[in-house]
Amino acid sequence: MALQIFETDPDARPAPKVKSEYTRPAFTFRSGMQRNRKPVKLDNWRIVAEELEPLKALAELLGGTAEEYSASAREPFHVLTETDSVEIVIDGAGAVEERMILWGPNGPIHECDGVEFLSPADAKGKPCGCPKELDQRKAWAQQGRGPKPNIPIRFRLAGLGYELGFGLLRISAWTFLPDLDPLKAALAAIDGEALCTLELEHISFINDKGEKIEYSKPKITVQGAYADAIAEER
């Protein structure tokens, strides 16, 4: 005889588990690193991973040496590549997520879309209390009082196929926000996977104090349908 406890209390029945289409990324692209706890700007892409093997294939394609850089890091292996531009494949606008996150020692303590909370479940949809003005949002984030952009983008490298798994680019730069909507629109306009160029755009200028400011930001250019690009190569 089968148990019928959920027949008497259907609200307590566990929801069916939905298998995610994606697992953990095989590798993550980063535009910088830390040395002696200080951020270091890089001229080329840096790739980190939990396992060494994926990085060996990436090093063959993009240059550099796959090695362990920090035994205590969650992704302890990296390769400092020899390129600031790579061709990637993005599967639609759904591969680009948008959120604002303030991280605490054990995970996100504030997650919103800039206006309403995205989590936790009991707060989802409620006003998040973030400032309306962009400059004030940046100031709060800098002071550790408010969230900053957290934009994960899933992709795979063109020319490597699916066997390596997918990569992740997690963008936190405020300067990327004006590019976000045009990128998603360009991806949505393509039926299927899009062939894109992912590059580090190097910015340099003199500020009002006469100081030279240099930084790099990710730039993604949608070239067109990946299927069309493959057909042209045949």
Side-chain angles (χ1 to χ4, degrees):
M1 180 179 294
L3 292 176
Q4 300 188 59
I5 56 175
F6 294 124
E7 277 66 18
T8 62
D9 187 5
D11 291 339
R13 185 185 298 275
K17 292 184 178 181
V18 178
K19 184 178 180 181
S20 174
E21 182 183 352
Y22 300 96
T23 57
R24 295 182 66 84
F27 54 89
T28 303
F29 268 52
R30 293 187 178 174
S31 59
M33 63 182 298
Q34 286 196 346
R35 290 195 181 104
N36 299 321
R37 298 186 177 181
K38 294 183 178 179
V40 177
K41 171 184 168 293
L42 300 176
D43 292 328
N44 297 317
W45 285 110
R46 172 179 177 243
I47 312 174
V48 300
E50 294 183 9
E51 304 290 340
L52 187 60
E53 288 306 313
L55 293 181
K56 291 181 179 179
L58 295 172
E60 289 184 12
L61 183 68
L62 305 176
T65 302
E67 59 187 357
E68 184 178 63
Y69 76 95
S70 173
S72 61
R74 195 179 83 175
E75 296 171 302
F77 304 101
H78 79 169
V79 56
L80 298 173
T81 75
E82 298 171 356
T83 182
D84 62 358
S85 179
V86 297
E87 286 194 331
I88 64 173
V89 181
I90 301 178
D91 191 6
V96 182
E97 298 181 33
E98 308 170 61
R99 65 190 68 175
M100 304 283 291
I101 294 182
L102 172 61
W103 293 94
N106 299 313
I109 59 176
H110 178 119
E111 184 176 5
C112 70
D113 63 5
V115 177
E116 298 177 345
F117 280 112
L118 298 175
S119 70
D122 59 353
K124 186 175 182 180
K126 296 179 180 179
C128 61
C130 290
K132 294 181 180 180
E133 298 79 13
L134 182 60
D135 287 345
Q136 190 63 37
R137 290 180 187 269
K138 293 180 181 179
W140 276 30
Q142 200 168 34
Q143 297 163 10
R145 298 173 57 197
K148 64 180 182 179
N150 187 286
I151 305 168
I153 300 176
R154 297 183 302 271
F155 66 91
R156 63 184 179 90
L157 286 179
L160 279 185
Y162 296 94
E163 64 277 2
L164 191 65
F166 75 94
L168 192 71
L169 173 67
R170 194 180 298 278
I171 300 175
S172 59
W174 294 92
T175 52
F176 184 78
L177 294 184
D179 302 333
L180 184 56
D181 285 345
L183 170 62
K184 296 193 73 171
L187 293 171
I190 293 176
D191 183 16
E193 295 181 319
L195 178 64
C196 307
T197 302
L198 169 62
E199 59 187 314
L200 276 178
E201 184 176 14
H202 304 293
I203 311 295
S204 176
F205 65 94
I206 305 297
N207 66 12
D208 295 339
K209 298 179 181 179
E211 302 167 328
K212 185 177 182 180
I213 305 298
E214 294 182 292
Y215 67 92
S216 300
K217 74 166 188 172
K219 180 180 179 182
I220 300 176
T221 304
V222 178
Q223 298 182 26
Y226 183 63
D228 293 342
I230 293 299
E232 290 176 3
E233 293 178 358
R234 293 174 180 172

